[in-house]
Amino acid sequence: CLERARAADEDRRAAQRAADDARRTARALRAERSEIAGAPDDVPVEDADAPKASLPALREAYRAASQLYEKVGVGADLRAEQARAESDESAARAELDRLSNKVRTRAEQLLQSPDGSDGPSRQAAAARAEELVQLLETRMSTASEQLGRLRGEAERHAPEDGEAHTELPEELVPCDAEHAQAKLRTATGELASRTEALAEAREAHAELLEAHRAAEDAAGGFDEIAAMLRDLLREHAPEEEQEEPEPYPGSLEEARHSAAEARRSLRGCAADLSAAEAAVREASDVLVRHANSTRYEQVRTPARQQIRELPASALPEHAQKWADAFAPRLRVLTDELAQLERNRDSIVDRLRGLVESALATLRSAQRLSRLPEGLGEWSGQEFLRIRFEEPDQATLTERLGEVIDEATRAAVKKNSDLRRDGMSLLLRGVAAALQPKGVAVEILKPDAVLRAERVPVGQMGDVFSGGQLLTAAIALYCTMAALRSNDRGRDKHRHAGTLFLDNPIGRANATYLLELQRAVSDALGVQLLYTTGLFDTTALAEFPLVIRLRNDADLRAGLKYISVEEHLRPGLPQQAQAGEAVHSEITATRMFKKPA
């Protein structure tokens, strides 16, 4: 009834709004009729046979007649207006023809009603229609939602099998919904009381079960004590050896206390005995696994064979004899292992000294490769740059010990190709000392402008040209020669050696490469001797002295000689400066080839 009252109230408000719109329309129509000339004051009686026209059509006809009346004196304007009106009429008629008959009939009926008298009336009627549609749609959605909810509840409460959940007696079958709700409330109260009674019964049952379990635990403890006493009685000596037990002199409580202490002591001794037996079994297993290890396959002692064959339970009986037999051998092996460890430490110390000397040599090589001034960006630069991280003494000793152990294992192992000479061990020791990063060596790249560009030695073959490779090789040789002279204690000596080159101008005839080779050799005290069969004047002009040779043959003696053809100098020879040592010069040579 409340929902119906609300719906009727909404309909009342809609009807009131429609009545207000109708009154406003009537007032507007009366005002409009009063403005029409010649209109009667009273509404004429409707004729059933007269044709009915809509108010907008009549209004449009009146407006057209008024305009025609006003423009009757203008011919051309009238014709133009007629043409436009005909065009508008055809367009409107075409749009009207696209509508269905049902729509046109309903529109004509609405235009004849009071709501279609003018534009505001039509807009108000359209607004009321939209509000009514929305209201109806809202009511329909609410009804649909309620219907779906009721259907869902009906499906949820419907029985799975049959037409009812359960069969009720005649006196409990409800006659209507209110009777059913009353019965349901009564049944719910009875269910609550029965549920409470069931919970109380379950609590009482749980208490009884707990008491039953406590009684069972007590009975089990009593059985355990009785079994322990029976075991103690069985462990006694036979009846003929048993002595008559003496009664306990104390009271009953003291006897019980003494018996409890004795049982506690007995349990402790039994636990200690079990632990000792487990320790013996574990030690026997460890001994058997140790004897069966693959490390001792070559050991052929009788004791090892006995340990492998005897059962585990018999091993403790022979343990003392084996221990007495192995004690002298253990002392001998311990002394030998101590001596081996001392020898290993001595070898590691010696190798550590050699490795440290090798690392110092690497640092000296970088220091001695410093170039002289006058080479642009290369002036004062180190031709070699050797970088590595030196380990501390503990780490170095540990790594060198691993190298020695590896060499020792390779010596014992069959078919091992690991070299054990001194240089191989030193190289492996240096590599182990520089782990994990190793050593990084970079070299300056020779080019025309002598840029200070460094390249790793591993990329020389990919980056350097043939002449650059040769120049780098000469610079490396000069550095090694200076390093050798420094190691021999002749670092102050100006002359570090002589290097003969077999036709290098064919590969490195660029002027800047030759200048760089000579500058590096002068800085490091190495004399370069170039031999070539090419007469490249541009390359030969870089040398202070060019000696041309020729072959001479002695036909009578059947010998061949190499003699000097001429000396080529680009200028006067430089005089030795004061205080500089003048080295010996070769004035003549003779070679004799022994006949086959």
Side-chain angles (χ1 to χ4, degrees), residues 278-290 307 311-316:
V280 170
R281 286 195 300 270
E282 184 178 358
S284 300
D285 295 339
V286 172
L287 179 61
V288 172
R289 287 197 301 270
H290 195 68
I307 294 173
S313 60
L315 293 178

Side-chain angles (χ1 to χ4, degrees), residues 135-445:
L135 178 61
L136 294 177
E137 288 180 352
T138 303
R139 291 179 180 178
M140 184 179 67
S141 62
T142 304
S144 300
E145 182 179 356
Q146 185 176 4
L147 178 60
R149 184 170 63 255
L150 294 176
R151 284 179 178 175
E153 291 180 358
E155 292 178 357
R156 186 171 63 254
H157 294 300
E160 296 181 356
D161 299 330
E163 298 180 356
H165 290 282
T166 182
E167 295 295 336
L168 297 177
E170 293 294 336
E171 64 273 6
L172 295 180
V173 175
C175 56
D176 54 3
E178 296 180 356
H179 189 202
Q181 290 181 356
K183 293 286 187 182
L184 180 60
R185 286 194 293 272
T186 304
T188 303
E190 292 180 359
L191 177 62
S193 60
R194 299 292 176 83
T195 303
E196 185 177 358
L198 177 62
E200 294 177 357
R202 286 180 177 173
E203 290 179 359
H205 182 261
E207 292 177 358
L208 293 176
L209 288 178
E210 185 175 359
H212 182 262
R213 282 195 295 271
E216 289 181 347
D217 294 340
F222 183 76
D223 292 340
E224 183 179 357
I225 294 175
M228 184 184 301
L229 293 176
R230 286 193 297 269
D231 292 340
L232 293 176
L233 292 175
R234 282 197 298 266
E235 289 178 359
H236 287 176
E239 294 181 358
E240 59 274 7
E241 298 180 4
Q242 291 183 358
E243 299 178 356
E244 188 69 21
E246 298 179 0
Y248 189 76
S251 62
L252 178 61
E253 294 296 331
E254 293 177 355
R256 288 179 178 176
H257 181 70
S258 178
E261 291 293 336
R263 286 195 296 270
R264 188 180 300 110
S265 177
L266 178 62
R267 285 196 296 270
C269 295
D272 295 341
L273 178 60
S274 300
E277 291 177 351
V280 170
R281 286 195 300 270
E282 184 178 358
S284 300
D285 295 339
V286 172
L287 179 61
V288 172
R289 287 197 301 270
H290 195 68
N292 292 329
S293 177
T294 56
R295 297 172 54 189
Y296 307 109
E297 287 294 337
Q298 298 179 359
V299 179
R300 296 289 184 261
T301 58
R304 178 173 178 268
Q305 193 69 21
Q306 293 175 2
I307 294 173
R308 297 178 62 183
E309 294 178 355
L310 288 176
S313 60
L315 293 178
E317 300 177 1
H318 303 274
Q320 186 62 38
K321 294 186 293 183
W322 291 335
D324 297 339
F326 288 157
R329 183 58 178 164
L330 178 60
R331 286 194 301 272
V332 174
L333 292 177
T334 303
D335 296 341
E336 292 180 356
L337 289 176
Q339 184 179 0
L340 291 175
E341 189 66 25
R342 288 193 298 271
N343 295 336
R344 177 182 178 276
D345 295 340
S346 175
I347 295 173
V348 169
D349 291 339
R350 176 58 178 164
L351 183 59
R352 184 181 62 189
L354 294 176
V355 169
E356 292 176 351
S357 177
L359 298 180
T361 303
L362 291 177
R363 290 191 296 271
S364 300
Q366 177 178 346
R367 177 176 52 83
L368 293 175
S369 65
R370 188 177 301 275
L371 298 174
E373 299 295 332
L375 295 178
E377 293 186 11
W378 281 30
S379 300
Q381 293 282 343
E382 293 175 344
F383 185 72
L384 285 177
R385 179 175 290 174
I386 305 174
R387 291 178 298 175
F388 56 88
E389 295 181 0
E390 293 190 19
D392 52 4
Q393 293 294 328
T395 305
L396 179 60
T397 302
E398 181 180 358
R399 292 177 181 176
L400 295 180
E402 294 177 358
V403 172
I404 296 301
D405 294 340
E406 182 181 1
T408 305
R409 286 192 296 267
V412 178
K413 189 184 301 181
K414 296 181 180 179
N415 300 326
S416 176
D417 55 351
L418 184 66
R419 299 181 61 182
R420 297 185 300 278
D421 56 291
M423 183 55 67
S424 300
L425 286 176
L426 178 59
L427 292 178
R428 287 201 295 273
V430 172
L434 300 181
Q435 287 178 355
K437 295 183 179 180
V439 59
V441 181
E442 294 179 346
I443 190 171
L444 289 174
K445 179 183 178 182

Side-chain angles (χ1 to χ4, degrees), residues 101-130:
N101 294 330
K102 184 178 180 180
V103 174
R104 284 183 287 180
T105 303
R106 181 59 179 165
E108 185 176 359
Q109 293 175 0
L110 293 176
L111 288 174
Q112 291 177 0
S113 64
D115 293 334
S117 60
D118 55 358
S121 300
R122 288 193 295 272
Q123 291 180 358
R128 289 197 305 274
E130 289 180 357

